[in-house]
Amino acid sequence: MPNIIERLRDSQELNKVRSILFDIMLTIELIVVFLDKSDFHFAYESYVFRVTFLISCLIILLGITKYDIREYAITLVLMVIALITYRSSGRNDMIRCLTFIAACKGLDIRSKLKMFFYENLIGSAILILLSVTGIFGKVMVQHADGQMLYVFGFGNANGFHCMFMMILFLGIYIYSERLKWYHYLALFILNIIVYKLTSCETAFALVALGLICFYMVKGVAIKGRKLGEAGWIYIAGIATFLFAIGFSVWAAIVSKYTWMPWFKKVQFIDKLLTGRIMNLYWNWDAHPGAIESWKLFAGSDTDYYFDMGWCRLAYWYGIIPALCVIVLLLILYIDCMNKRDGYLLVILTCLGIYTIVEAHIVSVYIGRNYILLFLGACIYNIFDKRDGEKVR
């Protein structure tokens, strides 16, 4: 026992323990994600989330000396807001996400991203294999319009194509230096094939946009300078992100008026989004998602699910917590610009646009959202003197 204690006092040994605990915690979170994605009914999510939360807290405590006093201050402010959110709405997601991000301090985030990538790849392969062999899960389901769509064990076509997008983006980020133009072309063709199977236009469009932008960041040069080194593309990315937020606020405001015949432009945009704007107000009597349902801190009655992610963020947690999330993402954008990390810029911007329409990332499942790992690498290293260092 004394030898174990002495070894744990060693910084490197302690960091190994923290890293192993983080791997265990992340793996558990990812397993829960795939149980949710499949047709399996798992009734003990809340208990599992408590376990992973406690593991995160233990990781933080074991690395308590690694945190700067300013990082303590940031954590305190965010934790107070998260606790108020929990008290008012009963949702502990903000607390769990914050402890997850804080637990990233001092860890090798690149290795955690690789682990996230491969475990998602393996989990997806298992669901697909189980469905096509007829062991568990459906290969196809009937859409509301009567069309039969491929789901490959993921429950719905959107879920399958979204997972394809998330894995593809992360894989490109990790292995970008090895990819050639023909790899991007092959992935583009694969995206078309997946679209033919799922008919998911949003995911298809964002994957196509992402692939084009990834290639441009790497392969296009203007006046002898790579596009990824140009400051204006990061400003454009931030502007696009803010547009996504502004559009979502606008949609929440006008959702009440989508039925009025003189709002032709609103009806046209709503039709493009397959009725999502109208549904914010008119799908339920409580009008969840419409601006009328937004509060500074959400109440305990915010238990409706709908697609538009940024609207769901404000509805589920409240305006103040949503603004905190937006500020953290803007900090990540600025960090991305300082490090000239064009690949992360593409991921953030594409997912920001995607979250206008879908709510994959706005979820109780930490394992759905690897952006939390990037936030952990950024927010809790923001005061370190390591300018120009990328996660990769």
Side-chain angles (χ1 to χ4, degrees):
M1 181 65 74
N3 285 336
I4 295 174
I5 293 172
E6 285 299 321
R7 287 181 65 187
L8 287 178
R9 284 176 180 170
D10 181 84
S11 178
Q12 290 184 342
E13 291 293 331
L14 194 58
N15 222 39
K16 287 180 182 177
V17 174
R18 294 179 70 240
S19 182
I20 292 168
L21 287 172
F22 192 93
D23 290 347
I24 293 169
M25 180 262 293
L26 183 56
T27 300
I28 294 171
E29 289 281 359
L30 288 168
I31 289 171
V32 175
V33 166
F34 281 100
L35 289 174
D36 170 69
K37 287 285 184 184
S38 72
D39 293 329
F40 183 78
H41 177 68
F42 183 63
Y44 304 100
E45 285 181 354
S46 62
Y47 298 101
V48 174
F49 290 156
R50 291 171 197 175
V51 172
T52 54
F53 169 71
L54 290 174
I55 295 174
S56 293
C57 291
L58 180 58
I59 295 168
I60 294 169
L61 288 173
L62 289 174
I64 199 75
T65 59
K66 294 181 177 292
Y67 297 86
D68 185 280
I69 186 66
R70 293 164 293 186
E71 291 167 347
Y72 282 124
I74 290 172
T75 305
L76 180 62
V77 171
L78 293 175
M79 188 58 76
V80 167
I81 293 171
L83 286 170
I84 294 172
T85 304
Y86 172 62
R87 292 286 296 174
S88 63
S89 68
R91 295 184 179 276
N92 60 14
D93 314 333
M94 290 281 182
I95 299 173
R96 291 173 47 240
C97 287
L98 180 57
T99 53
F100 179 89
I101 292 170
C104 293
K105 174 71 175 179
L107 299 178
D108 180 1
I109 299 301
R110 187 174 185 276
S111 70
K112 306 310 174 192
L113 287 169
K114 279 189 174 182
M115 178 181 170
F116 199 108
F117 171 71
Y118 282 110
E119 290 193 357
N120 266 286
L121 203 58
I122 293 167
S124 297
I126 290 171
L127 284 187
I128 293 169
L129 185 62
L130 288 175
S131 65
V132 297
T133 55
I135 296 172
F136 184 76
K138 298 174 183 176
V139 176
M140 301 178 73
V141 297
Q142 187 173 15
H143 192 256
D145 61 3
Q147 185 181 6
M148 295 299 293
L149 302 176
Y150 284 88
V151 299
F152 294 110
F154 279 82
N156 62 75
N158 265 340
F160 174 63
H161 207 144
C162 178
M163 184 60 75
F164 169 76
M165 177 182 70
M166 296 295 287
I167 293 173
L168 183 141
F169 281 178
L170 185 55
I172 290 175
Y173 184 88
I174 294 169
Y175 295 107
S176 57
E177 301 303 324
R178 303 184 191 179
L179 298 179
K180 307 297 181 183
W181 67 267
Y182 47 83
H183 293 127
Y184 288 99
L185 178 60
L187 290 172
F188 200 95
I189 294 170
L190 180 59
N191 184 42
I192 294 173
I193 294 170
V194 173
Y195 170 67
K196 291 294 184 181
L197 297 173
T198 64
S199 295
C200 295
E201 295 174 351
T202 305
F204 167 75
L206 267 298
V207 171
L209 175 65
L211 287 170
I212 293 168
C213 291
F214 279 129
Y215 182 74
M216 289 179 68
V217 163
K218 179 180 181 179
V220 175
I222 300 176
K223 294 181 179 180
R225 190 183 187 188
K226 281 189 176 181
L227 193 61
E229 300 296 321
W232 67 265
I233 69 164
Y234 297 91
I235 295 171
I238 292 171
T240 305
F241 171 71
L242 292 175
F243 169 79
I245 303 300
F247 179 87
S248 298
V249 174
W250 172 82
I253 293 170
V254 303
S255 60
K256 185 176 182 179
Y257 309 105
T258 46
W259 63 274
M260 295 182 178
W262 50 87
F263 281 90
K264 296 293 185 183
K265 291 182 179 178
V266 175
Q267 290 177 348
F268 173 74
I269 295 171
D270 185 48
K271 188 176 180 180
L272 290 177
L273 299 183
T274 60
R276 283 173 169 84
I277 297 176
M278 177 180 282
N279 287 343
L280 291 176
Y281 190 89
W282 296 105
N283 218 28
W284 298 279
D285 292 338
H287 315 304
I291 199 73
E292 291 85 350
S293 68
W294 295 12
K295 302 173 185 175
L296 292 180
F297 288 95
S300 57
D301 56 343
T302 55
D303 53 355
Y304 289 88
Y305 284 75
F306 49 87
D307 287 331
M308 298 187 74
W310 295 116
C311 293
R312 186 195 284 191
L313 181 68
Y315 167 73
W316 266 12
Y317 306 106
I319 296 171
I320 292 175
L323 286 173
C324 288
V325 171
I326 292 167
V327 169
L328 289 177
L329 289 172
L330 285 173
I331 292 171
L332 184 55
Y333 261 108
I334 293 168
D335 186 63
C336 180
M337 180 166 61
N338 290 338
K339 296 173 180 176
R340 291 298 189 263
D341 192 348
Y343 295 97
L344 179 55
L345 171 72
V346 174
I347 292 175
L348 289 174
T349 306
C350 286
L351 294 184
I353 298 170
Y354 185 74
T355 306
I356 294 175
V357 182
E358 301 289 352
H360 174 84
I361 293 176
V362 184
S363 164
V364 300
Y365 302 102
I366 286 174
R368 283 190 181 188
N369 191 0
Y370 49 72
I371 299 300
L372 296 174
L373 288 168
F374 287 107
L375 282 170
C378 167
I379 302 300
Y380 284 92
N381 292 298
I382 204 168
F383 301 111
D384 291 354
K385 296 179 180 179
R386 293 187 290 177
D387 296 339
E389 182 181 329
K390 300 179 184 179
V391 172
R392 291 179 285 119

